[in-house]
Amino acid sequence: IENKLSSSEQFDEKLNNIKERMNTINNEYFLQSKVISEVRNKKSKSLDDSINNEFLDLKLENARFQTFIEKNEFGSKGQDKVTFKIKTNPKAEMEEIKKISSGGELCRIALAIKVTADKNKLSTLFFDEVDSGIGGAVSTAVGERLKRLGKNRQVCVITHSPQVASLANNHLKVIKNQFETKLIKLDYTERTEEIARMLSAKEITQEAMDAAKKLLEQSKEIS
């Protein structure tokens, strides 16, 4: 009873101490969030420029990416609300990426963002069907960008595109059955046949084999 009485008598003092500590923490938080906000505003322009430069190599010449920073309620990520917006047509309005982009555009936009975000890191990058929804010259452009990216780091790409597969340094075939999944590294002959299969319908034709060889030869010329 004496302990409880003593504690209750010190209640106001403890409450004041807690309030002072809360004020100190709030002030520190405000200062730190202000610093983060300033860095965000400073770096957003260079981020936008870097991503927009990547679009040129990915056949998105008319697309524009922009970072929007608005003041928001204080939270665990600071005092800003950050939104990434894009337009793929010069006459269009800026909108959130998910609202205006097709599947093929989303894949290329994601590639541009990932390349920019990891530019100064020596990381291993994995891309799962980054070429989804695209074909022809656009697939080749994506493959060429991935090939250049692979010069300074390891890049692993899961793809169904013969244009992208032909530009890799190494080609692994995935074989699945009900018991296991295998990865088999292909030699040049096996790789040619696999790319020809990707180009063909039911059967591998001589035309597909010739096209596969041509794709592999062209990949050697790309730096």
Side-chain angles (χ1 to χ4, degrees):
I1 293 173
E2 286 179 354
N3 288 336
K4 287 182 179 181
L5 180 61
S6 175
S7 177
S8 65
E9 290 173 346
Q10 297 173 5
F11 178 80
D12 289 340
E13 181 182 350
K14 288 182 178 179
L15 182 59
N16 286 332
N17 289 337
I18 291 172
K19 286 181 177 179
E20 288 179 6
R21 186 161 175 257
M22 283 295 294
N23 286 333
T24 301
I25 291 172
N26 282 334
N27 289 334
E28 289 177 358
Y29 172 84
F30 177 77
L31 291 173
Q32 289 296 323
S33 65
K34 187 178 179 181
V35 170
I36 292 171
S37 184
E38 289 172 353
V39 172
R40 281 176 175 152
N41 280 281
K42 183 179 179 180
K43 296 291 185 180
S44 62
K45 180 63 169 60
S46 60
L47 173 68
D48 295 347
D49 290 342
S50 296
I51 291 174
N52 286 322
N53 286 335
E54 286 293 332
F55 286 164
L56 300 176
D57 288 338
L58 298 173
K59 302 295 183 183
L60 287 168
E61 299 90 344
N62 295 321
R64 298 299 297 170
F65 177 95
Q66 188 173 345
T67 305
F68 290 83
I69 302 174
E70 306 169 76
K71 292 301 177 186
N72 196 25
E73 294 182 4
F74 290 94
S76 61
K77 297 180 181 179
Q79 56 179 300
D80 302 317
K81 178 184 178 183
V82 180
T83 307
F84 299 125
K85 294 185 179 182
I86 196 168
K87 61 179 179 180
T88 53
N89 187 312
K91 296 181 180 180
E93 296 292 328
M94 283 283 183
E95 285 284 359
E96 290 185 46
I97 295 172
K98 62 183 179 182
K99 292 183 179 179
I100 65 166
S101 300
S102 67
E105 288 171 339
L106 274 175
C107 290
R108 285 178 284 163
I109 292 166
L111 174 58
I113 293 172
K114 185 66 175 175
V115 168
T116 302
D118 280 7
K119 187 163 285 185
N120 297 321
K121 298 178 183 178
L122 294 177
S123 55
T124 298
L125 299 179
F126 282 84
F127 294 99
D128 186 1
E129 297 189 26
V130 70
D131 49 18
S132 176
I134 60 177
V138 177
S139 285
T140 302
V142 169
E144 289 174 356
R145 185 64 188 94
L146 291 168
K147 185 178 181 70
R148 292 197 301 274
L149 186 62
K151 286 187 175 182
N152 301 317
R153 70 194 74 199
Q154 186 178 45
V155 177
C156 301
V157 182
I158 300 169
T159 182
H160 294 288
S161 166
Q163 289 94 338
V164 173
S166 68
L167 288 159
N169 294 328
N170 296 288
H171 193 154
L172 303 176
K173 183 177 180 180
V174 181
I175 299 177
K176 296 181 179 181
N177 59 40
Q178 59 181 337
F179 302 110
E180 62 183 351
T181 299
K182 290 182 179 180
L183 280 177
I184 300 175
K185 185 175 180 179
L186 306 181
D187 59 25
Y188 182 82
T189 301
E190 292 168 332
R191 190 177 179 189
T192 304
E193 291 175 354
E194 181 61 20
I195 292 173
R197 185 193 63 77
M198 296 167 77
L199 287 164
S200 301
K202 291 184 179 180
E203 297 181 2
I204 298 177
T205 63
Q206 185 58 49
E207 289 80 3
M209 287 292 291
D210 293 339
K213 291 176 182 178
K214 187 174 182 180
L215 284 174
L216 288 171
E217 287 301 316
Q218 289 175 342
S219 71
K220 296 177 182 178
E221 301 171 4
I222 297 172
S223 58

